[in-house]
Amino acid sequence: MSLVQDPGLSALLVEDNSHERIAIRRSLKKDVHTLLECESAEEALRHLEHAPSEFDVIIADFKLPGMDGLTLFRTLRQMKCVSPFILLTGNGSEQIAIEAFKAGVNDYLVKASESDYLDLLPALVTEVIQNHRLKIKNELLELSLKEAQERFHQFMEHYQGIFWLTDFHEPRRLLYVSPTYERIWDRPALQLAQNPLDWLEALHPKDRDRIRNAYLKLNISGEYNEIYRIVKADGSTRWIHERGLINHNQGGHPYRITRLAEDITDRTTMSEALQASEERFAQFMAHLPGLAYMKDEQYRLMYLNPEFEQVFNIDLKNWIGQTVHEVFPPDTAAKLQYDDDWVLSRGQSLEIIEDIPLNDGLHQFLTCKFPILQHDRPPILGGVSIDVTGQFKAEIQRDHIFSLSLDLMCSIGIDGYLKKTNPAFEKLLGYTQEELLSQPLIFFTHPDDRISTQAAFYQLAEEKDVMDFQNRIRDIRGNYLWLEWRATPQLEEKTIYAVARDITQRYHATKALRRYEQIVSTSSDFLCFLDEKNCLQAVNHGFCEYFNLPAREITGRHIRDFVGTELFESQLQSHLDDCRKGRVVCFHQHVTFPEENVRFMEVKLNPYVESDGTISGVTAIWRDLTEQKRLEQHVRQTQKMESIGTLAGGIAHDFNNILMAILGWAEMGTWKHPQGDPANKYFEQIGIAGKRGRDLIQQILTFSRQTEHHPRPVDLGPVIEESLALFRATFPSNIELHFGSHHNMNMVFADPVQIQRIIMNLCSNAEHALRPHGGTLNIDLHAIIIEHGNLQFPPTLSPGRYVQIVVSDSGPGIPDHILPKIFDPFFTTKPVGEGTGMGLSVVHGIVENLRGHISVKSSKKDGTTFLISIPEYQVPTDSSLHVKPSTLSPGSGHVLIVDDEISITEVLKEFLEHLGYTVTVRTNPLEALEEFRMNPHRFDCLITDQTMPGLGGDQLSREILKVRPDMPIILCTGFSHTIDKENSSEQGITAFLYKPILLDQLSQTLTHILSHSKPEIPKV
């Protein structure tokens, strides 16, 4: 049956012309069962990428889009494709044909005409496949024959007789003699190499000529079977039985002479010696590693060794006397019979691979058949067969595994050079096998890994396996890939067998995972994993630190043990249920930690999804936002204070204008109504009330930071009274506030605003403590003397007189474990939104800056008492609230008043005219400037407001000074963001006064600046 008629025959056709493909498909329809068609070489390579030899034959046109057919063939050979390849071409170029056959194409067909080449194509496919299969089979036969010869040679090496092998054409040229020659002949085998006939010298003189003639005629007669004597060195005689035969090659030509000699001295007669020889020969055949048999002249089986029973599962008696036609299938028997006829008809031996069917399938046997000569009778057939199927299959399987493995497989010589690599090795690194075998493995190794790689080779040299060794190997692009190796040495083969796996992605993933684990473990957030029962299975270092417990005492416990039952049931449990439905949940909650530390936390819950899509737990991230919230509260408070300051500035400006008119008219009233007049007393009280209003506005500006803090001598009593007056309105009705009234002055050198902040912060904390149940807040003020060595105060506090403020409440007191932290910045026990944690820290800082001391005493029974001690100031300060005699100075000169408030210009005009000045009033600054420019020397002084529509006081002053640089100017303001006393002086303004201006203050200022002005300036 033709090979191409096999039902499973497959072919790959690469042709871009659709008409040609259809024609070729029809032509091969009867012979090819599976035909895969591709339009380009690239498409064919994609099909053959994983199984290059998948098809029985590949047919490709030379001219293809992109890669041509010949380049496709070369590429397939690089991919280890062994399928036969037929190249088609339409132009019949001789150059292409020569190039194709040089490259190794199996055949070449010119598409001269559609009918001609399509008729030739099926036969060509048949011939190419037959030749390819025959080539493969011959290669396998040659390999099997080589193994059989080696095994037969090893067997003969241990044979107890003497085995001779000489050349047929030169009978005197010895090819081999077994080691037993020296023992039996008692002569060195080395002499045979120098003189192949040296063995004849040991023969008995009566037998020497006979045996020499028989030996020399062996290549003519074709048979040799002699018994003779040899004389050993000690003079003893041994009987030898020797047989010889001629070996023929595949062509039937004789090429070797084989002789077997045995020492038969111990046999009493020649017949006994011959019988013993035959028995030994039979024993040799019985123990031969394989099948041994003999057939008579009619090809009937006359002898089978016991191995037949094992191989064919038969009783030897049933096969004795049978021919191959009676025990084998017809096809097998015909082939065996053909070989038997060839051996006996030619009288030559034959070595061949035979296919023998057994119960488990077709087996391959390496067989040697030879004729056995008989005296006066035709020769019979002898044969020895060795089953080499296992070796064939194992070798094929090893090749398949080697070729198809995704891991890198190679063999390495003990010199470090690669001996063989599989396709995966070449594909991963990008080198050809020739490039890989041309360099030692260390050449491709990363420089930093060469020492460890060399150490692995030393370990292998000591016959120790290397397991899970890792290093970096450079690919063709210059990139280094991480490989993990396992290797075992076979030192008798001088070879190391190794398997490597690309772990580059795993290495980098592991490295990234370690970095991630380090980030998680060092995160200030605390992270945990909750199982389906809400028990903690994993926590990070931050979690352990928050709860001050090691991880082993946390894992396995329920989350409610750490957040509290109330919080878990009211908030956390429902969020966890939502998360297990596949949602990411983020929320905020207050958590009470050990030592009653309440923290504001952001909680983010993520479902943990397994590879099968099920949710097995929840990962939770808890972030402490307490400090952030406090900072936000602090920022809001700052913004609030800035807003209050802006509002206070606007109010101060308007209110100071009103107060200035009130105070001015009040002073005018006291002048016009002498002492004793009831109206004088009324005007005096109006003045006192106006001055109080003025001071109150100044306090509001200072408290809202619209003015700088300036320490000065201050009586604490009035300051505390004013602070409490502002604070008392906010106190609940269930809290009683008491301040011990003292007539003595308690002077300190401080900024009143800072004293107010101390009182406000301490009273605020006391109000918060008393708020739930009410109580009493007492503030006391008295002088104390601190002596050196007083243990109630730190040694760094200077001895002397101090004023002590005592603030005590009847509240529940401060817990002992919290008391040491109350002065820490941002520490608070209040909920987020009710405190910034900065109050007591600010109080402590103010007291320290005043070189004073603050201490606290607290208990549940007596409540909390703060004691603030500040150094006493010895020089008393004047109070603006006391009425002083007016010191008015009459004067002369022309004064220009510019103010948009008519009530102010009226009082100033009447006052200055009363003192003797000439006054011009303008409410529009632009009109005043124009009038001044017309006659700059008409006026002796300018009194201007700062805040006016159209042109501010500072701008008006600059324009007037441009015209007359020596012009005296008094700038008045109730409040301004843009100018103050310092920068007004830098602009050339002579005097700067804050509203409301007292008239005696204005009188003295005006008198002073006019007395220092230049008298020689001409007046107009």
Side-chain angles (χ1 to χ4, degrees), residues 991-1009:
F992 184 89
L993 299 177
Y994 281 105
K995 292 180 179 180
I997 304 169
L998 299 179
L999 296 183
D1000 57 349
Q1001 181 185 11
L1002 179 60
S1003 172
Q1004 294 173 13
T1005 302
L1006 190 58
T1007 300
H1008 177 75
I1009 64 174

Side-chain angles (χ1 to χ4, degrees), residues 261-307:
E262 290 183 285
D263 186 350
I264 59 172
T265 304
D266 296 335
R267 299 176 186 174
T268 56
T269 62
M270 188 174 294
S271 59
E272 291 177 348
L274 180 59
Q275 182 179 359
S277 176
E278 291 177 349
E279 290 177 355
R280 288 178 181 174
F281 185 76
Q283 185 177 9
F284 163 74
M285 296 295 285
H287 291 85
L288 189 70
L291 302 175
Y293 56 87
M294 289 188 290
K295 299 179 183 179
D296 61 16
E297 298 90 335
Q298 285 76 38
Y299 301 105
R300 291 189 296 266
L301 293 166
M302 56 184 296
Y303 172 79
L304 299 173
N305 71 337
E307 187 70 13

Side-chain angles (χ1 to χ4, degrees), residues 590 600 625-626 628-634 636-637 640 768 771 828-837:
H590 290 89
F600 182 74
L625 300 181
T626 307
Q628 179 180 330
K629 282 294 180 182
R630 289 176 179 170
L631 288 173
E632 290 174 358
Q633 179 68 16
H634 181 68
R636 283 196 294 269
Q637 182 67 18
K640 186 188 301 181
H768 184 270
R771 188 185 303 169
T828 182
T829 58
K830 300 176 184 178
V832 175
E834 293 191 22
T836 63

Side-chain angles (χ1 to χ4, degrees), residues 727-742:
F727 199 82
R728 188 175 278 109
T730 65
F731 263 44
S733 59
N734 62 344
I735 299 177
E736 296 181 13
L737 178 60
H738 301 289
F739 175 53
S741 179
H742 297 271

Side-chain angles (χ1 to χ4, degrees), residues 56-320:
D56 295 305
V57 65
I58 299 174
I59 306 168
D61 190 18
F62 175 75
K63 189 174 183 181
L64 293 170
M67 183 187 296
D68 61 38
L70 189 55
T71 305
L72 171 62
F73 169 75
R74 292 191 177 104
T75 304
L76 290 175
R77 287 300 181 260
Q78 291 178 358
M79 294 170 58
K80 308 304 180 185
C81 173
V82 298
S83 299
F85 193 95
I86 299 174
L87 186 66
L88 304 178
T89 180
N91 54 21
S93 169
E94 183 176 341
Q95 183 62 35
I96 295 176
I98 293 173
E99 187 177 355
F101 283 118
K102 282 184 177 180
V105 171
N106 296 77
D107 218 323
Y108 178 86
L109 185 60
V110 179
K111 297 187 287 187
S113 64
E114 184 177 354
S115 59
D116 290 340
Y117 95 88
L118 291 175
D119 292 340
L120 293 174
L121 186 58
L124 182 62
V125 170
T126 300
E127 181 182 353
V128 167
I129 294 177
Q130 286 177 336
N131 292 339
H132 178 68
R133 291 186 175 179
L134 184 59
K135 178 183 177 183
I136 292 177
K137 188 170 184 179
N138 287 339
E139 290 175 353
L140 294 175
L141 288 174
E142 183 178 350
L143 179 63
S144 300
L145 181 61
K146 183 178 180 181
E147 285 189 3
Q149 287 176 339
E150 289 178 356
R151 291 184 181 182
F152 194 74
H153 183 75
Q154 291 176 1
F155 176 80
M156 286 302 181
E157 288 288 330
H158 295 86
Y159 179 54
Q160 294 300 314
I162 302 175
F163 175 74
W164 312 74
L165 187 64
T166 57
D167 188 81
F168 175 82
H169 300 289
E170 299 181 36
R172 295 186 179 185
R173 187 163 69 90
L174 181 66
L175 300 178
Y176 176 78
V177 64
S178 61
T180 53
Y181 169 80
E182 292 186 348
R183 178 176 58 82
I184 296 176
W185 244 254
D186 203 13
R187 298 175 72 86
L190 183 63
Q191 293 183 5
L192 289 175
Q194 300 171 353
N195 179 16
L197 297 179
D198 183 73
W199 64 278
L200 290 172
E201 299 299 322
L203 267 62
H204 195 281
K206 294 183 178 180
D207 299 331
R208 186 177 299 149
D209 292 337
R210 175 175 61 83
I211 297 303
R212 178 186 290 110
N213 293 333
Y215 173 73
L216 294 177
K217 293 179 180 179
L218 176 61
N219 58 346
I220 299 174
S221 63
E223 57 182 337
Y224 182 84
N225 192 350
E226 298 290 342
I227 295 177
Y228 55 86
R229 293 162 292 177
I230 61 171
V231 180
K232 303 189 71 172
D234 60 356
S236 61
T237 302
R238 307 296 295 178
W239 284 92
I240 304 298
H241 178 207
E242 182 177 340
R243 290 171 294 176
L245 57 88
I246 299 175
N247 298 112
H248 296 78
N249 58 20
Q250 290 279 5
H253 303 293
Y255 71 107
R256 288 177 183 172
I257 296 175
T258 302
R259 295 157 53 206
L260 294 174
E262 290 183 285
D263 186 350
I264 59 172
T265 304
D266 296 335
R267 299 176 186 174
T268 56
T269 62
M270 188 174 294
S271 59
E272 291 177 348
L274 180 59
Q275 182 179 359
S277 176
E278 291 177 349
E279 290 177 355
R280 288 178 181 174
F281 185 76
Q283 185 177 9
F284 163 74
M285 296 295 285
H287 291 85
L288 189 70
L291 302 175
Y293 56 87
M294 289 188 290
K295 299 179 183 179
D296 61 16
E297 298 90 335
Q298 285 76 38
Y299 301 105
R300 291 189 296 266
L301 293 166
M302 56 184 296
Y303 172 79
L304 299 173
N305 71 337
E307 187 70 13
F308 270 85
E309 292 183 334
Q310 300 295 327
V311 174
F312 292 95
N313 194 23
I314 60 166
D315 186 349
L316 295 181
K317 297 177 182 179
N318 296 332
W319 277 33
I320 298 298

